[in-house]
Short mmCIF file of all heavy atoms in Angstrom, two decimals:
data_model
loop_
_atom_site.label_atom_id
_atom_site.label_comp_id
_atom_site.label_asym_id
_atom_site.label_seq_id
_atom_site.Cartn_x
_atom_site.Cartn_y
_atom_site.Cartn_z
N TYR A 214 -126.82 58.85 -10.47
CA TYR A 214 -127.74 57.98 -11.35
C TYR A 214 -128.40 56.82 -10.64
O TYR A 214 -129.68 56.61 -10.77
CB TYR A 214 -126.95 57.48 -12.53
CG TYR A 214 -126.37 58.47 -13.44
CD1 TYR A 214 -125.06 58.23 -14.08
CD2 TYR A 214 -126.83 59.78 -13.57
CE1 TYR A 214 -124.43 59.12 -14.75
CE2 TYR A 214 -126.16 60.79 -14.38
CZ TYR A 214 -125.02 60.43 -14.97
OH TYR A 214 -124.33 61.35 -15.74
N TYR A 215 -127.61 56.04 -9.93
CA TYR A 215 -128.12 54.85 -9.29
C TYR A 215 -129.12 55.18 -8.30
O TYR A 215 -130.13 54.51 -8.11
CB TYR A 215 -126.86 54.06 -8.81
CG TYR A 215 -126.23 53.17 -9.76
CD1 TYR A 215 -124.83 53.24 -9.92
CD2 TYR A 215 -126.89 52.28 -10.51
CE1 TYR A 215 -124.18 52.51 -10.88
CE2 TYR A 215 -126.14 51.51 -11.55
CZ TYR A 215 -124.85 51.71 -11.72
OH TYR A 215 -124.21 50.86 -12.64
N GLN A 216 -128.83 56.19 -7.52
CA GLN A 216 -129.64 56.64 -6.50
C GLN A 216 -131.11 57.11 -6.98
O GLN A 216 -132.10 56.72 -6.45
CB GLN A 216 -129.05 57.66 -5.59
CG GLN A 216 -128.11 56.93 -4.47
CD GLN A 216 -127.06 57.88 -3.91
OE1 GLN A 216 -127.01 59.05 -4.33
NE2 GLN A 216 -126.22 57.40 -3.04
N ARG A 217 -130.93 57.82 -8.07
CA ARG A 217 -132.27 58.30 -8.77
C ARG A 217 -133.00 57.00 -9.27
O ARG A 217 -134.25 57.08 -9.30
CB ARG A 217 -131.85 59.14 -9.89
CG ARG A 217 -131.74 60.66 -9.47
CD ARG A 217 -130.86 61.43 -10.48
NE ARG A 217 -131.38 61.64 -11.84
CZ ARG A 217 -130.81 62.10 -12.85
NH1 ARG A 217 -129.55 62.37 -12.71
NH2 ARG A 217 -131.31 62.23 -13.98
N MET A 218 -132.34 56.01 -9.62
CA MET A 218 -132.95 54.75 -10.00
C MET A 218 -133.65 54.07 -8.86
O MET A 218 -134.57 53.26 -8.98
CB MET A 218 -132.03 53.84 -10.63
CG MET A 218 -131.84 53.79 -12.06
SD MET A 218 -130.50 52.68 -12.50
CE MET A 218 -131.16 51.09 -12.32
N GLY A 219 -133.15 54.36 -7.68
CA GLY A 219 -133.64 53.63 -6.53
C GLY A 219 -132.74 52.48 -6.01
O GLY A 219 -133.17 51.61 -5.22
N VAL A 220 -131.53 52.55 -6.45
CA VAL A 220 -130.57 51.51 -6.05
C VAL A 220 -129.68 52.17 -4.87
O VAL A 220 -129.23 53.36 -4.97
CB VAL A 220 -129.70 51.20 -7.24
CG1 VAL A 220 -128.48 50.21 -6.75
CG2 VAL A 220 -130.45 50.49 -8.35
N HIS A 221 -129.50 51.26 -3.92
CA HIS A 221 -128.61 51.75 -2.74
C HIS A 221 -127.16 51.31 -3.00
O HIS A 221 -126.83 50.27 -3.35
CB HIS A 221 -129.14 51.08 -1.52
CG HIS A 221 -128.24 51.40 -0.30
ND1 HIS A 221 -128.23 52.52 0.39
CD2 HIS A 221 -127.38 50.60 0.29
CE1 HIS A 221 -127.38 52.56 1.31
NE2 HIS A 221 -126.82 51.32 1.29
N ILE A 222 -126.33 52.41 -2.84
CA ILE A 222 -124.84 51.97 -3.03
C ILE A 222 -124.32 51.68 -1.55
O ILE A 222 -124.31 52.59 -0.67
CB ILE A 222 -124.09 53.20 -3.58
CG1 ILE A 222 -124.74 53.85 -4.74
CG2 ILE A 222 -122.67 52.86 -3.79
CD1 ILE A 222 -124.68 53.07 -5.99
N ASN A 223 -123.89 50.52 -1.33
CA ASN A 223 -123.42 50.15 -0.05
C ASN A 223 -121.98 50.45 0.08
O ASN A 223 -121.59 51.46 0.79
CB ASN A 223 -123.60 48.61 0.13
CG ASN A 223 -123.21 48.08 1.46
OD1 ASN A 223 -123.11 48.91 2.46
ND2 ASN A 223 -123.07 46.82 1.65
N ALA A 224 -121.02 49.73 -0.66
CA ALA A 224 -119.63 50.09 -0.62
C ALA A 224 -119.06 50.54 -1.88
O ALA A 224 -119.51 50.02 -2.88
CB ALA A 224 -118.83 48.83 -0.20
N THR A 225 -118.34 51.62 -1.80
CA THR A 225 -117.61 52.08 -3.04
C THR A 225 -116.21 51.61 -2.93
O THR A 225 -115.56 52.03 -2.06
CB THR A 225 -117.71 53.54 -3.26
OG1 THR A 225 -117.16 54.21 -2.02
CG2 THR A 225 -119.14 54.01 -3.47
N ILE A 226 -115.67 50.78 -3.76
CA ILE A 226 -114.46 50.15 -3.64
C ILE A 226 -113.60 50.51 -4.85
O ILE A 226 -113.80 49.92 -5.91
CB ILE A 226 -114.45 48.66 -3.53
CG1 ILE A 226 -115.49 48.33 -2.35
CG2 ILE A 226 -113.17 48.04 -3.19
CD1 ILE A 226 -115.73 46.82 -2.08
N THR A 227 -112.63 51.42 -4.79
CA THR A 227 -112.34 52.07 -3.55
C THR A 227 -112.50 53.59 -3.56
O THR A 227 -112.23 54.32 -2.56
CB THR A 227 -110.80 51.85 -3.17
OG1 THR A 227 -110.02 52.38 -4.29
CG2 THR A 227 -110.45 50.37 -2.92
N GLY A 228 -113.08 54.11 -4.54
CA GLY A 228 -113.38 55.58 -4.66
C GLY A 228 -114.11 56.08 -3.50
O GLY A 228 -115.20 55.53 -3.18
N ASP A 229 -113.66 57.24 -2.81
CA ASP A 229 -114.38 57.69 -1.61
C ASP A 229 -114.59 56.54 -0.64
O ASP A 229 -115.65 56.49 -0.04
CB ASP A 229 -115.66 58.46 -2.01
CG ASP A 229 -116.08 59.46 -1.00
OD1 ASP A 229 -115.40 59.68 0.00
OD2 ASP A 229 -117.20 59.94 -1.10
N GLY A 230 -113.59 55.65 -0.58
CA GLY A 230 -113.84 54.43 0.24
C GLY A 230 -113.82 54.59 1.70
O GLY A 230 -113.03 55.50 2.18
N ARG A 231 -114.57 53.77 2.39
CA ARG A 231 -114.44 53.81 3.87
C ARG A 231 -114.22 52.35 4.32
O ARG A 231 -114.90 51.44 3.78
CB ARG A 231 -115.79 54.33 4.49
CG ARG A 231 -115.98 55.76 4.13
CD ARG A 231 -115.02 56.79 4.74
NE ARG A 231 -115.39 58.11 4.41
CZ ARG A 231 -115.06 58.71 3.21
NH1 ARG A 231 -114.35 58.04 2.39
NH2 ARG A 231 -115.50 59.92 3.01
N VAL A 232 -113.53 52.18 5.33
CA VAL A 232 -113.19 50.81 5.89
C VAL A 232 -114.45 50.09 6.32
O VAL A 232 -114.70 48.94 5.79
CB VAL A 232 -112.32 50.89 7.07
CG1 VAL A 232 -112.09 49.55 7.65
CG2 VAL A 232 -110.86 51.47 6.57
N ASP A 233 -115.39 50.67 6.96
CA ASP A 233 -116.45 49.99 7.47
C ASP A 233 -117.42 49.45 6.33
O ASP A 233 -117.99 48.41 6.41
CB ASP A 233 -117.32 50.78 8.53
CG ASP A 233 -116.65 50.77 9.82
OD1 ASP A 233 -115.67 49.97 10.08
OD2 ASP A 233 -117.00 51.59 10.81
N ALA A 234 -117.55 50.40 5.42
CA ALA A 234 -118.40 49.97 4.23
C ALA A 234 -117.83 48.71 3.56
O ALA A 234 -118.55 47.86 3.07
CB ALA A 234 -118.57 51.19 3.28
N ILE A 235 -116.52 48.67 3.37
CA ILE A 235 -115.84 47.54 2.68
C ILE A 235 -115.96 46.30 3.62
O ILE A 235 -116.28 45.20 3.11
CB ILE A 235 -114.33 47.86 2.42
CG1 ILE A 235 -114.27 49.08 1.53
CG2 ILE A 235 -113.66 46.71 1.92
CD1 ILE A 235 -112.87 49.60 1.44
N ARG A 236 -115.94 46.53 4.91
CA ARG A 236 -116.09 45.35 5.80
C ARG A 236 -117.54 44.72 5.65
O ARG A 236 -117.75 43.53 5.86
CB ARG A 236 -115.78 45.77 7.18
CG ARG A 236 -114.42 46.07 7.58
CD ARG A 236 -114.16 46.67 8.94
NE ARG A 236 -114.47 45.63 9.89
CZ ARG A 236 -114.82 45.78 11.22
NH1 ARG A 236 -114.83 47.12 11.54
NH2 ARG A 236 -115.18 44.86 11.99
N ASN A 237 -118.40 45.63 5.28
CA ASN A 237 -119.87 45.17 5.20
C ASN A 237 -120.31 44.83 3.73
O ASN A 237 -121.42 44.59 3.47
CB ASN A 237 -120.83 46.35 5.71
CG ASN A 237 -122.20 45.85 5.98
OD1 ASN A 237 -122.39 44.76 6.45
ND2 ASN A 237 -123.12 46.79 5.69
#
Side-chain angles (χ1 to χ4, degrees):
Chain A
Y214 300 147
Y215 281 123
Q216 279 158 359
R217 274 156 67 192
M218 262 173 76
V220 173
H221 173 77
I222 313 289
N223 182 20
T225 54
I226 309 177
T227 59
D229 201 5
R231 297 292 181 277
V232 172
D233 282 348
I235 297 168
R236 292 176 61 203
N237 192 39

